[in-house]
Amino acid sequence: MLSMAAIELLNQPDFRRRLDQCIHCGLCLPACPTYAVNQLETDSPRGRIALMRAAAEGRIELEGAFEEHIELCLGCRACETACPSGVQYGLLLETARAALAQVKQRSNRKRAAEFLQQIGLRSLLPYRRRLRLLARGMWFYQRLGLTRLAHWILPRLPSALTTMEGMIPPIDLNFLDLSQPAPALGPRRGKVAFFVGCVQDAFLAGVNRATVHVLQRNGYEVHFPQAQTCCNAAALHSGDVEFARTLARRNIDAFAEGDFEAILTNAGGCGAALKGYEHLLADDPAYMSKARTFVSKVKDINEFLADHLHHPPTGHVQARVVYVDSCHLRHGQKVVGPPRALLRAIPGVELVELQQPDMCCGSAGIYNLLQPEMANQVLDAKMADIRAANASIIATANTGCYLQMVYGVKRAGLSATVMHVVELLEHAYHP
């Protein structure tokens, strides 16, 4: 059943124009993780675009095949990198999922899943204190040794719960103090704002601390605008466009004061969402100019440090390191070289490449919880590639990738340590 709102979304001139950019060449197929697993045309970018066109023309309903194959897409955007015609598949997928969200007739199981999803999106992710409280609960869970009991119970429960438990990293409760700016160490070279994230702030506190410390060591005063909230990536992945716009406006307002040289994020997924505010608010006369200014300052931490590493680390880190690209950093933001350049700047690091560095790890926001079977097949292929690299450290540059790698190491039985690029940098400042 097509609602009027869904029909309007699928017949927007920009959406139809982007559909028509696809020339059906098929070069996207080898880049698509779900096509690699299923070998189905409908699980390829080209096939999904054909489904979108059929839905826009009223030839198929949104329930059934359209919903199944659109929801199975990871949204990794590897097809964009492979596409010779410049098809903006990420924007097409965003509209398709927004149209799906307008469909009212859903099964009871799907309604229950969507209800729980909305609780997380609206009542948890935008609230730092609630997430930190949840992290404290996870810390007690780990300290009490309940993981052993969970490993006995979880195989008897839905696989999404196994994935969720496996992704929990060792919890660090030494959260960043956001009450005042972090001063530059040594000569002051500038003033930047740090987007602390939601899950990153609560569950990967050490990554955020390392980010700030590295910036301080390179002469930057780091500010933490108090009103910042979730980037909106999870809302967009779920098709909740209006809530995504609400979060975008909050963040734009939060970072409007301060005359910052840059607005920095250490999560590839968050950065892609933040850089998308100009498109998201293009029809909002009150915010389109503000969004353009905001986006012009957003930088991934790797992107920024590669050009502003004024005080390179001198400590020796003797390790064989494999870097796992964040899809939204590599394909969405086109930031490929900077993380590798930073890793090579660390004395002692031997950087090795994966055979397929452009393939997704299966995290894709909350995809690994909503589609655990497919996510695990994609992850297993990634971990086989990582195993072949024979590295002792797996470096990442994104929250979801970090947590997925924690789970992947356990699942594959590897002994490698998962670290963010900035954690390795910070470690090299303390030989």
Side-chain angles (χ1 to χ4, degrees):
M1 177 180 178
L2 283 177
S3 71
M4 289 304 297
I7 291 172
E8 289 176 5
L9 282 169
L10 295 176
N11 281 281
Q12 295 176 93
D14 282 350
F15 181 74
R16 298 301 294 269
R17 177 181 57 79
R18 292 188 180 103
L19 283 178
D20 291 341
Q21 282 182 280
C22 177
I23 60 173
H24 314 289
C25 66
L27 291 177
C28 58
L29 271 63
C32 179
T34 53
Y35 181 79
V37 171
N38 288 346
Q39 293 291 299
L40 293 174
E41 176 73 14
T42 44
D43 283 331
S44 73
R46 181 175 66 180
R48 291 184 175 107
I49 286 174
L51 289 172
M52 293 178 198
R53 181 177 289 108
E57 294 172 354
R59 292 185 283 112
I60 61 171
E61 303 290 343
L62 292 191
E63 296 94 338
F66 181 87
E67 179 182 6
E68 175 189 347
H69 297 294
I70 294 299
E71 289 190 344
L72 198 62
C73 178
L74 289 118
C76 68
R77 297 170 65 179
C79 52
E80 291 188 16
T81 301
C83 180
S85 301
V87 175
Q88 294 174 292
Y89 180 83
L91 296 179
L92 289 173
L93 181 65
E94 184 182 305
T95 301
R97 286 184 168 161
L100 273 175
Q102 298 295 328
V103 178
K104 304 303 181 185
Q105 293 187 352
R106 312 283 270 174
S107 70
N108 290 334
R109 184 180 67 83
K110 286 177 180 173
R111 285 175 186 243
E114 288 167 1
F115 175 71
L116 293 174
Q117 190 174 330
Q118 287 301 312
I119 289 177
L121 293 179
R122 290 178 174 266
S123 302
L124 188 60
L125 292 184
Y127 300 97
R128 187 177 304 114
R129 290 180 181 176
R130 296 177 191 179
L131 280 169
R132 287 186 175 187
L133 181 62
L134 178 60
R136 289 187 173 93
M138 292 297 100
W139 181 84
F140 278 111
Y141 163 82
Q142 292 177 339
R143 289 295 293 267
L144 293 173
L146 296 179
T147 53
R148 291 189 294 273
L149 178 62
H151 292 162
W152 180 78
I153 295 173
L154 286 172
R156 297 158 176 80
L157 296 175
S159 55
L161 295 177
T162 303
T163 302
M164 188 180 299
E165 198 280 335
M167 288 168 58
I168 303 172
I171 300 297
D172 180 351
L173 296 182
N174 186 14
F175 303 123
L176 266 182
D177 178 7
L178 307 177
S179 62
Q180 55 188 354
L185 300 177
R188 184 180 180 277
R189 295 180 180 273
K191 179 174 72 171
V192 297
F194 181 42
F195 183 82
V196 300
C198 44
V199 174
Q200 184 90 330
D201 172 73
F203 290 90
L204 293 173
V207 175
N208 276 4
R209 287 200 314 275
T211 301
V212 173
H213 292 164
V214 171
L215 287 168
Q216 288 179 285
R217 288 178 178 276
N218 283 279
Y220 290 94
E221 180 180 290
V222 187
H223 291 245
F224 315 100
Q226 296 297 297
Q228 61 177 293
T229 185
C230 174
C231 66
N232 82 8
L236 281 178
H237 293 165
S238 303
D240 195 346
V241 177
E242 283 311 310
F243 188 54
R245 290 189 177 114
T246 296
L247 295 174
R249 293 184 188 105
R250 290 180 190 172
N251 281 323
I252 289 169
D253 290 339
F255 287 86
E257 302 295 328
D259 190 27
F260 303 115
E261 177 178 338
I263 298 169
L264 303 177
T265 171
N266 58 14
C270 293
L274 297 175
K275 290 180 178 181
Y277 284 5
E278 185 176 357
H279 165 76
L280 188 66
L281 299 173
D283 296 327
D284 185 338
Y287 275 86
M288 57 184 183
S289 178
K290 295 178 184 179
R292 188 178 305 114
T293 300
F294 176 89
V295 170
S296 70
K297 293 186 176 183
V298 175
K299 297 282 185 183
D300 178 76
I301 187 64
N302 297 279
E303 186 179 20
F304 183 80
L305 285 175
D307 292 331
H308 300 85
L309 198 66
H310 306 296
H311 178 53
T314 57
H316 199 83
V317 178
Q318 190 64 45
R320 185 176 168 91
V321 178
V322 63
Y323 173 66
V324 174
D325 286 88
S326 153
C327 291
H328 283 91
L329 191 57
R330 183 183 182 103
H331 303 302
Q333 300 184 58
K334 310 301 182 187
V335 177
V336 179
R340 291 167 167 83
L342 292 174
L343 290 170
R344 292 190 182 100
I346 300 173
V349 163
E350 179 191 358
L351 181 63
V352 291
E353 288 286 350
L354 295 174
Q355 292 298 309
Q356 292 185 293
D358 56 344
M359 290 298 277
C360 186
C361 68
S363 172
I366 56 174
Y367 181 95
N368 49 1
L369 303 181
L370 300 177
Q371 302 281 351
E373 289 79 13
M374 175 59 75
N376 282 341
Q377 291 183 74
V378 173
L379 174 61
D380 289 344
K382 193 73 172 181
M383 297 313 298
D385 200 355
I386 290 171
R387 183 188 294 276
N390 193 30
S392 60
I393 294 176
I394 302 170
T396 75
N398 181 45
T399 310
C401 300
Y402 193 115
L403 299 179
Q404 185 78 333
M405 286 298 102
V406 168
Y407 174 50
V409 164
K410 296 174 186 175
R411 183 177 171 87
L414 300 181
S415 59
T417 301
V418 181
M419 300 181 75
H420 194 288
V421 172
V422 291
E423 287 184 297
L424 268 168
L425 278 171
E426 170 64 358
H427 184 66
Y429 284 110
H430 297 281

